[in-house]
Amino acid sequence: MNRLNSLPTLRIDTADKRTLTYRGKTIQGVAGDTVATALYASGVRVFGRSLKYHRPRGLYSLDGECSNTCMEVDGIPNVRTENTPLKSGMAVKAQNVVGSADFDWMAFMDKLDWMMPAGFYYKIMHKPAAVWPLAMKQIRKAAGLGVISADYQMKGQYDERYLTAEVTVIGGGAAGMQAALAAAESGQRVVLLEARPHLGGCFDYRVTPSVDDTPLYRRARKLAETVAGTANIRVFTQAAVVGCYTNNLVTAFQVGGEADTFTERYIEIRSASVVVATGCIERPLLFDNNERPGVMQVGCAHRLARTYGILPGSQAVFAVGHDLGLEAAADLFDLGLKVACVADIRADGQNPDLMLALAERKIPLLKGWVATRARGGKAVEKVTLATVEGTVKREFDCDLLVASAGLTPVNGPFILAGATMRYDSLTGYFLPTDLPEKMFAAGRMTGLNDPVSIEASGRLAGLNAADATGAGMGAAVADAQKKLSTLPGPQRGCKLVTAPVKGRKSFICFDEDTTVKNIKQAIAMGFDVPELIKRFTSAGTGPGQGGIPGHNLPLFVARHTASINTPIPTTQRPPLVPTFIATYAGYNHHMFKRTPMHRNQIEDGGVFRNIGVWQRARYFSSDFDCKEEILNVRNNVGMLDGSTLGKFRIHGPDALKALQRVYVSDMSKVKTGRIKYSAMCNDDGCVIDDGVVTQLGENDYYFTTSSGRAGQTVEWIRYHTRFDGWDFHLVNLTDAMGVINLSGPNARKVLEKVVDIDISNTVLPFSGYTECLIQETIPVRVMRLGFVGELSYELHMPSSYMKSVWEMLKTAGAAFGIRNFGVEAQNVLRMEKCHIILGQESEQRTNLLDVGLGFLWDRKKSDARTVGAVALRQAETDPDRLKLVGIRMEDDDRPARDGALIVDRRVRGYVATMRKSFTTGQSVGMALVEGPLADIGTRLEIFEDECNGVRRYARVVKMPFYDPKGDRMKA
């Protein structure tokens, strides 16, 4: 097809050729095309087949309002080709066809519509009951559009942006651009989101004169240049809004262009105020075969010619209910389209200038007439027109029927934000009557059609939005209101709901093949509310949501039931536009935190793994059993980077009260120079954290938490003291302080070489705490702990000193053969001692008592209202709860895998941690089992993945497995 190459409104570059493949053929398009416009320009008219009846479907809109042009593109099903930019090399396939889109072997389903009345899937094939499982499989095979390949690998780069703005404007038409410019006058940050590739909206392709006889498209492009030159406006084109939420949280996704580094980008904006200037879409005209290829909306036909240079047909009939239809008919006639007739649903109210334009071009105008039937098999060949009463009919030959009952506002953002929508009898629109706080409407969606009024409303909304954020725009707002009041206001809309037809093949929802007849059937069954009818008939539940049926459905229900109530719109839900899950996932960066010793440990041969939010050295050799690391700690001395521990300071008059609230122990017993081990529980009594606490001074405490809970600890304490009015301060020192764990029989000998104090067992015994200087410079907090079951010191120091202290300890320990040990070695060492790691030996069902930490619970401090204490009392006497026990394999050659199930006739527990102990020579570990299995000596049957029916066995044994009296760690 030859393009209209010389039009000033074009958004394509005909010199830049692009190609795609379809049905084994190479199809040529140009830069700026969408996949659908490239196919249409090459002569493709049938893009796919409908869901139930396999009816041919063609290009109807250009904004993805229905599934007509959903196709498989590069292996991805259900791509909305009408707004998917064309890229060279794309492979495109039709969907829901057996054969091809033009010749579908399933087309006979269209004759069987009588077998599929409204809600048929709820009523048939359910009796006898044995039939339904078989029928369900066949229905599932037939249902849905497109085929998902389980082996498909999603390609592309998926970015994300999290923004903050004072004003966000949704919609980049004339009103939206004026709103952005007006808000920007205050100096505030403004974000402008536009779903199409270019700003301009309905002005972008129209040549109708506006201010100073400037064509609308020039006016739009001048505004776009001004917006682009305004430093505090950030513009995102091809960015469709998918959600609007409480407190003006706006989410969107942007399709990347050829110059962008991303395929799609998720955008989330925290905005102080929002302007919604999303404009209108067209309300479909309901008549027989209203979705036949060759039937399209006014905007689709007009934009095909003016934006893409494609004449939509050779001879057309227009059946419209608004002035844009008359304008398009005259303009397309000038571009070479033969217009046989314009049927205007309205009996009066047409723009006189447009009526004169049609008369000058000798285009017949039939007032009060409407299309009742599109004739033709796979494309329109003829159309039947009739008076709106159906008393007189005429037929016209054509290959294009431009049909539109009127306009309807794109009010999805308001609905998602919780606005109350009401039917406006003047415009025929569903308009918000109770706007959410700091949210404003502008432009055509308010019922305005005069270009000057549209721009003025945008400016007023932008000023109001800026003023609502405290910008002090009161005087400017008053001036804008005064100007708008002098301009033409909202115009009367078309009220026709359906042509005078029975509706058997009048489709109210293209996506789900829902007809007017189906809606009547649902009403006859007692469904008289649009929301219920929507669910019973599936109207509006397809990819386009409420795009095609959203306005017509409530209007038709109200009209057909002669309801005295105002029509009620159906509810839209996010996402407003179909979005790839990959877009929500983003880049999937390998994100983690590093300790200050990360690079040093790399140099020492560390093998790193992501553990929670941190990347830590799990091993220091290729031996993942860590035998040498473990035995070195048991027999000599080793160093572990423990900087990931949560570290906090809490101080103030009520600091102790806060600790008493969240810790199960009596924290008043925490003394200066000593550390106390305790745990936190949730309201169910489940252990969520453990650590040590020491007193630094009066009402001043330092405490540690597990690495995984460090980020939540402050919020947890604040939450559980929020109503008490206590005076205390919490400081998260996790990243500010580093930790080195020095462990092994020679640990004291190494540490003595670098500290300036006496650390003998008498001065610094087990559970002792002290502070000192290293090299008379570096402040260090020293805790005497024993997590790995050996003489151990936990050294806390400012992170900036970590490398220096680490190197000093390596030098001091060289004579003893000091070496690093990683997280896996620590895991085995502490397991041998039966010290638990929360989340590994505990889970959401296990409380403090189940995991053997009941000794920590002080039952006498009831006045503290300790979190979890009530639940612990209730569970204390329950004998059937899971219990943590020590286990040993009957065959010591191989330990059971972590997570292996403990079974008899059913699952009775699972292995929490098990390793081969190089210290004892046994395969030992800990398991959570039901209470009756917790007795010493009980034989446990273990089921592992891929065991091929072979069970393994272990016995419950005493804990701990190593140094039961604790002599070594207290030495």
Side-chain angles (χ1 to χ4, degrees):
M1 178 182 290
N2 293 326
R3 301 272 185 158
L4 305 171
N5 295 332
S6 59
L7 302 183
T9 55
L10 292 179
R11 289 293 193 176
I12 58 172
D13 181 1
T14 55
D16 188 354
K17 306 297 183 183
R18 308 289 169 85
T19 59
L20 61 84
T21 58
Y22 176 65
R23 295 184 61 185
K25 298 179 180 178
T26 299
I27 290 179
Q28 186 170 282
V30 297
D33 263 332
T34 66
V35 174
T37 59
L39 289 171
Y40 197 86
S42 69
V44 175
R45 294 295 178 266
V46 181
F47 284 72
R49 294 284 173 153
S50 65
L51 177 68
K52 289 190 297 188
Y53 304 142
H54 283 253
R55 290 170 63 89
R57 291 288 166 83
L59 188 61
Y60 183 79
S61 65
L62 284 176
D63 285 316
E65 296 156 21
C66 65
S67 62
N68 276 21
T69 59
C70 281
M71 306 178 80
E72 181 181 303
V73 178
D74 293 337
I76 302 174
N78 296 321
V79 175
R80 299 177 304 151
T81 58
E82 58 198 56
N83 52 6
T84 298
L86 174 65
K87 297 178 182 178
S88 281
M90 283 179 160
V92 181
K93 296 180 181 179
Q95 296 185 155
N96 209 40
V97 299
V98 180
S100 67
D102 288 324
F103 300 97
D104 182 12
W105 289 102
M106 292 293 290
F108 70 89
M109 294 293 292
D110 191 27
K111 306 296 184 182
L112 303 180
D113 61 299
W114 57 273
M115 295 179 61
M116 294 177 276
F120 74 95
Y121 30 77
Y122 296 119
K123 298 180 292 184
I124 65 172
M125 296 180 285
H126 287 271
K127 293 182 180 179
V131 173
W132 177 242
L134 301 175
M136 179 173 61
K137 292 180 180 179
Q138 300 307 314
I139 291 174
R140 285 181 173 174
K141 286 181 181 179
L145 295 176
V147 178
I148 298 175
S149 171
D151 299 324
Y152 181 79
Q153 296 293 319
M154 195 71 177
K155 301 178 181 66
Q157 295 290 330
Y158 296 88
D159 196 6
E160 50 201 346
R161 285 289 182 272
Y162 295 88
L163 308 175
T164 301
E166 280 70 43
V167 179
T168 296
V169 180
I170 304 174
M177 288 189 284
Q178 285 285 16
L181 290 168
E185 291 175 7
S186 65
Q188 295 181 323
R189 295 169 296 177
V190 179
V191 172
L192 176 60
L193 301 169
E194 168 54 40
R196 291 177 181 171
H198 310 283
L199 299 178
C202 72
F203 282 22
D204 185 59
Y205 55 91
R206 294 164 62 192
V207 294
T208 302
S210 179
V211 181
D212 300 329
D213 290 330
T214 301
L216 290 178
Y217 79 90
R218 286 187 184 170
R219 176 63 181 161
R221 294 181 190 190
K222 183 178 179 181
L223 284 172
E225 290 174 2
T226 306
V227 167
T230 305
N232 55 325
I233 300 178
R234 189 168 183 181
V235 179
F236 293 93
T237 55
Q238 280 200 279
V241 169
V242 293
C244 278
Y245 305 97
T246 306
N247 298 323
N248 292 328
L249 172 64
V250 178
T251 61
F253 78 93
Q254 183 181 25
V255 178
E258 293 184 357
D260 294 314
T261 58
F262 59 89
T263 306
E264 286 192 0
R265 174 160 65 187
Y266 173 76
I267 302 171
E268 186 172 294
I269 307 165
R270 294 280 179 180
S271 188
S273 62
V274 174
V275 175
V276 180
T278 45
C280 294
I281 59 175
E282 293 175 54
R283 180 163 63 88
L285 183 58
L286 303 181
F287 59 93
D288 285 344
N289 301 324
N290 59 326
E291 33 67 84
R292 184 72 75 213
V295 179
M296 63 176 61
Q297 294 179 336
V298 171
C300 179
H302 207 174
R303 287 174 61 198
L304 272 177
R306 282 287 175 184
T307 302
Y308 299 102
I310 305 169
L311 210 57
S314 57
Q315 179 153 309
V317 170
F318 282 69
V320 298
H322 50 86
D323 284 343
L324 289 177
L326 307 186
E327 178 186 324
D331 190 30
L332 289 171
F333 178 88
D334 293 342
L335 296 177
L337 179 66
K338 295 177 182 178
V339 180
C341 177
V342 175
D344 194 324
I345 301 166
R346 302 167 295 175
D348 54 43
Q350 293 85 356
N351 185 321
D353 293 335
L354 293 174
M355 292 176 63
L356 178 59
L358 294 179
E360 290 174 347
R361 291 161 177 80
K362 297 181 181 179
I363 300 174
L365 174 63
L366 302 178
K367 295 182 181 180
W369 284 62
V370 65
T372 59
R373 186 179 182 85
R375 300 182 180 275
K378 297 169 188 171
V380 172
E381 297 172 1
K382 186 180 293 187
V383 61
T384 300
L385 302 180
T387 58
V388 293
E389 297 83 9
T391 54
V392 182
K393 295 183 179 180
R394 294 179 62 181
E395 288 190 350
F396 293 86
D397 292 331
C398 63
D399 62 354
L400 175 66
L401 173 56
V402 182
S404 177
L407 301 175
T408 181
V410 181
N411 47 30
F414 283 127
I415 293 174
L416 296 189
T420 302
M421 308 301 292
R422 290 287 184 269
Y423 181 73
D424 179 67
S425 58
L426 172 64
T427 60
Y429 292 178
F430 290 108
L431 296 175
T433 58
D434 186 15
L435 287 172
E437 186 179 2
K438 297 182 182 179
M439 206 170 195
F440 306 90
R444 286 204 305 162
M445 71 176 311
T446 64
L448 300 173
N449 279 306
D450 177 74
V452 179
S453 300
I454 289 171
E455 290 192 40
S457 74
R459 176 169 176 77
L460 175 60
L463 292 172
N464 273 322
D467 189 59
T469 63
M473 308 294 286
V477 168
D479 290 342
Q481 285 176 329
K482 183 178 180 180
K483 179 179 179 180
L484 183 59
S485 66
T486 65
L487 298 171
Q491 294 185 3
R492 177 164 58 94
C494 176
K495 304 301 191 298
L496 182 78
V497 179
T498 180
V501 294
K502 293 182 179 180
R504 178 181 173 185
K505 297 295 183 180
S506 299
F507 289 86
I508 200 166
C509 177
F510 297 174
D511 294 349
E512 300 292 330
D513 270 348
T514 307
T515 63
V516 168
K517 179 182 178 181
N518 296 147
I519 305 302
K520 292 178 180 178
Q521 291 169 339
I523 293 172
M525 295 179 198
F527 296 95
D528 57 353
V529 177
E531 282 288 359
L532 296 177
I533 294 172
K534 172 182 175 180
R535 283 156 179 77
F536 189 66
T537 65
S538 297
T541 60
Q545 279 215 49
I548 293 296
H551 198 138
N552 276 331
L553 178 61
L555 293 184
F556 181 82
V557 172
R559 183 71 57 87
H560 190 72
T561 59
S563 173
I564 61 173
N565 298 318
T566 303
I568 303 171
T570 57
T571 301
Q572 291 178 262
R573 292 174 175 81
L576 293 172
V577 177
T579 314
F580 289 140
I581 294 176
T583 304
Y584 286 114
Y587 260 131
N588 193 24
H589 294 288
H590 191 199
M591 298 176 66
F592 50 82
K593 296 171 70 174
R594 291 174 172 171
T595 73
M597 298 311 304
H598 186 86
R599 190 160 298 280
N600 295 63
Q601 291 185 311
I602 289 177
E603 294 171 355
D604 289 341
V607 179
F608 289 81
R609 297 288 186 269
N610 281 16
I611 302 175
V613 299
W614 294 90
Q615 189 172 81
R616 301 187 67 183
R618 191 171 184 91
Y619 317 98
F620 278 92
S621 72
S622 58
D623 173 21
F624 290 173
D625 290 330
C626 307
K627 181 177 181 179
E628 292 186 5
E629 294 175 45
I630 293 167
L631 295 179
N632 185 65
V633 173
R634 287 281 181 245
N635 302 316
N636 188 21
V637 61
M639 284 193 303
L640 171 80
D641 179 7
S643 301
T644 62
L645 277 176
K647 299 169 282 289
F648 299 86
R649 180 190 177 199
I650 183 170
H651 60 98
D654 297 315
L656 179 59
K657 293 179 181 178
L659 294 175
Q660 291 279 51
R661 173 65 51 81
V662 297
Y663 279 105
V664 296
S665 306
D666 182 359
M667 307 312 288
S668 66
K669 296 180 180 179
V670 178
K671 303 299 181 184
T672 303
R674 300 291 294 174
I675 55 176
K676 182 174 181 62
Y677 173 67
S678 189
M680 299 183 194
C681 295
N682 63 15
D683 289 317
D684 296 328
C686 298
V687 195
I688 61 168
D689 209 348
D690 66 342
V692 298
V693 187
T694 188
Q695 187 175 29
L696 302 178
E698 185 178 1
N699 298 322
D700 193 357
Y701 299 86
Y702 180 71
F703 66 95
T704 66
T705 69
S706 61
S707 300
R709 288 279 301 181
Q712 306 169 54
T713 298
V714 170
E715 183 179 357
W716 182 259
I717 296 175
R718 289 293 182 194
Y719 177 81
H720 286 287
T721 60
R722 65 194 186 281
F723 297 127
D724 296 286
W726 290 341
D727 183 8
F728 65 90
H729 302 278
L730 264 170
V731 184
N732 188 342
L733 298 171
T734 301
D735 295 339
M737 301 285 286
V739 174
I740 299 174
N741 191 300
L742 187 66
S743 301
N746 292 321
R748 183 181 291 117
K749 296 176 182 177
V750 174
L751 187 59
E752 284 175 336
K753 292 186 175 184
V754 296
V755 297
D756 58 357
I757 60 170
D758 181 4
I759 58 170
S760 65
N761 199 48
T762 304
V763 177
L764 186 63
F766 181 72
S767 295
Y769 172 87
T770 189
E771 296 179 3
C772 64
L773 294 176
I774 291 181
Q775 296 291 330
E776 300 180 354
T777 304
I778 303 173
V780 177
R781 297 175 178 180
V782 183
M783 296 181 180
R784 176 85 185 275
L785 297 171
F787 188 55
V788 298
E790 299 293 341
L791 171 65
S792 299
Y793 297 92
E794 205 169 89
L795 310 177
H796 295 231
M797 69 219 72
S799 294
S800 56
Y801 287 119
M802 273 282 288
K803 291 183 180 180
S804 299
V805 175
W806 186 273
E807 293 299 327
M808 291 177 190
L809 291 172
K810 284 181 69 175
T811 301
F816 303 98
I818 193 170
R819 61 177 293 173
N820 298 326
F821 68 99
V823 177
E824 176 60 21
Q826 181 196 45
N827 185 39
V828 178
L829 291 163
R830 64 91 198 171
M831 182 214 65
E832 292 174 338
K833 189 62 180 170
C834 292
H835 290 157
I836 72 168
I837 293 178
L838 297 180
Q840 197 158 327
E841 279 79 40
S842 68
E843 40 123 302
Q844 60 186 359
R845 295 176 295 172
T846 54
N847 64 26
L848 187 80
L849 309 172
D850 301 335
V851 296
L853 296 180
F855 65 92
L856 296 175
W857 179 27
D858 190 304
R859 294 162 172 78
K860 299 178 182 179
K861 57 166 194 164
S862 57
D863 56 325
R865 292 186 291 128
T866 301
V867 179
V870 173
L872 289 173
R873 289 190 182 93
Q874 293 173 346
E876 196 169 10
T877 58
D878 185 353
D880 297 322
R881 296 184 60 82
L882 291 175
K883 300 295 181 184
L884 185 68
V885 298
I887 61 173
R888 177 185 174 185
M889 298 298 296
E890 291 184 347
D891 178 5
D892 283 325
D893 288 343
R894 183 177 71 82
R897 300 172 187 168
D898 293 355
L901 299 179
I902 294 171
V903 299
D904 46 25
R905 293 183 302 274
R906 58 184 177 85
V907 176
R908 304 293 296 275
Y910 62 90
V911 176
T913 306
M914 180 170 272
R915 297 290 187 275
K916 179 67 178 284
S917 169
F918 298 110
T919 307
T920 66
Q922 302 168 349
S923 289
V924 290
M926 290 176 278
L928 283 165
V929 300
E930 293 178 359
L933 300 181
D935 294 337
I936 301 297
T938 302
R939 193 178 193 227
L940 304 177
E941 183 178 340
I942 298 175
F943 172 87
E944 294 181 313
D945 287 343
E946 303 174 357
C947 65
N948 296 320
V950 178
R951 301 289 195 268
R952 308 191 67 215
Y953 296 90
R955 290 191 180 273
V956 177
V957 297
K958 290 183 179 180
M959 298 190 292
F961 313 121
Y962 174 75
D963 188 26
K965 295 182 180 180
D967 294 334
R968 293 179 67 88
M969 65 182 184
K970 297 176 182 178

